[in-house]
Amino acid sequence: MNTEAEQIIHVVDDDPPFLAAIGRALEVLGLPVRQYPRARQCMEALDPDQGGCLITDLRMPDLDGLGFQQWLNERHCSLPVIFITGHGDTDTAVKALKRGALDFLRKPFREEDLLACVRKALRLERENRQRARDEREARRRFAELTPREQEVLQLVVAGCANKVIARHLMISPRTVEHHRKHVMLKMQARSTSDLLTLAVLCGVYRLSLDDDRGEYLGD
């Protein structure tokens, strides 16, 4: 299955006419729409690695929307979820959103509101999938560094000058410069700013929200 390029919209609702109406409304997006009258049917057909989003009714006879959402979360499925319901209340909406739902639409809703939610979900899913690819690639490059190069990378992104790195690692500044060049080449970074971004992506450095400093996340 093509899990990288194509996005699929999954719709679950036990009301056949309403389910068909949603399918027709979503045709304008030009993407495949899969329709299911029961959550369990969707569960059997769903590929967690496939891009797209999920629209599901909240109240259904075999498994309700919250139960379906829990099943997805347990399997680390990252598809954005949009709930639709004719019976939703504030407490249920809050619970769904706290569990990671993207949005909550109460029937009857306007077609343009549905399309806006779905476009938002698809955009978010594309961005998340691209970030996951970037993180995997950054981790792959970092793993190809020698242990010494990994140490130098962490000190460089922390803002340490070559002389400081040399003293910390008890090597010469010239050796530090040699390692820095190798780090930049292997990480495919054009600047220290690029290197910082890659360090954050591969999970060895975390930026602080309070200032421009960060912290090591390595061993």
Side-chain angles (χ1 to χ4, degrees), residues 156-171:
V156 168
V157 297
C160 297
N162 284 357
K163 290 182 179 180
V164 175
I165 297 174
R167 287 197 298 271
H168 181 80
L169 298 179
M170 294 184 290
I171 56 179

Side-chain angles (χ1 to χ4, degrees), residues 177-195:
E177 183 61 33
H178 174 78
H179 286 313
R180 284 188 70 148
K181 289 180 179 178
H182 278 247
V183 167
M184 297 295 283
L185 286 171
K186 290 183 179 181
M187 294 299 292
Q188 299 179 31
R190 293 171 296 181
S191 65
T192 303
S193 177
D194 281 351
L195 194 63

Side-chain angles (χ1 to χ4, degrees), residues 52-215:
C53 69
L54 173 67
I55 306 167
T56 181
D57 195 4
L58 181 62
R59 296 195 178 186
M60 294 180 289
D62 61 341
L63 180 68
D64 66 14
L66 290 179
F68 188 17
Q69 184 186 32
Q70 181 177 347
W71 181 88
L72 293 166
N73 289 342
E74 289 172 351
R75 283 152 184 80
H76 307 289
C77 180
S78 60
L79 287 181
V81 179
I82 300 168
F83 277 116
I84 52 176
T85 183
H87 312 280
D89 56 28
T90 302
D91 290 341
T92 304
V94 169
K95 182 180 292 187
L97 293 171
K98 283 185 175 180
R99 290 183 180 182
L102 179 67
D103 220 324
F104 200 99
L105 295 174
R106 186 190 299 273
K107 301 177 186 177
F109 47 79
R110 299 183 305 168
E111 183 175 312
E112 52 263 41
D113 291 337
L114 172 66
L115 292 175
C117 283
V118 173
R119 288 190 176 101
K120 177 182 176 182
L122 295 173
R123 182 175 65 254
L124 176 65
E125 192 276 329
R126 282 194 301 269
E127 292 171 354
N128 288 343
R129 191 150 30 108
Q130 181 60 54
R131 181 175 178 84
R133 286 196 293 266
D134 292 343
E135 288 175 350
R136 287 195 298 271
E137 178 61 18
R139 287 194 294 269
R140 183 191 67 77
R141 295 177 193 175
F142 183 78
E144 291 181 352
L145 300 179
T146 66
R148 177 64 83 196
E149 289 167 348
Q150 291 178 359
E151 290 179 317
V152 169
L153 180 151
Q154 291 179 327
L155 292 168
V156 168
V157 297
C160 297
N162 284 357
K163 290 182 179 180
V164 175
I165 297 174
R167 287 197 298 271
H168 181 80
L169 298 179
M170 294 184 290
I171 56 179
S172 71
R174 180 172 294 182
T175 301
V176 172
E177 183 61 33
H178 174 78
H179 286 313
R180 284 188 70 148
K181 289 180 179 178
H182 278 247
V183 167
M184 297 295 283
L185 286 171
K186 290 183 179 181
M187 294 299 292
Q188 299 179 31
R190 293 171 296 181
S191 65
T192 303
S193 177
D194 281 351
L195 194 63
L196 175 59
T197 299
L198 290 165
V200 173
L201 282 172
C202 67
V204 299
Y205 198 75
R206 179 169 59 202
L207 292 176
S208 170
L209 296 179
D210 298 326
D211 50 41
D212 294 331
R213 301 176 64 186
E215 60 179 313

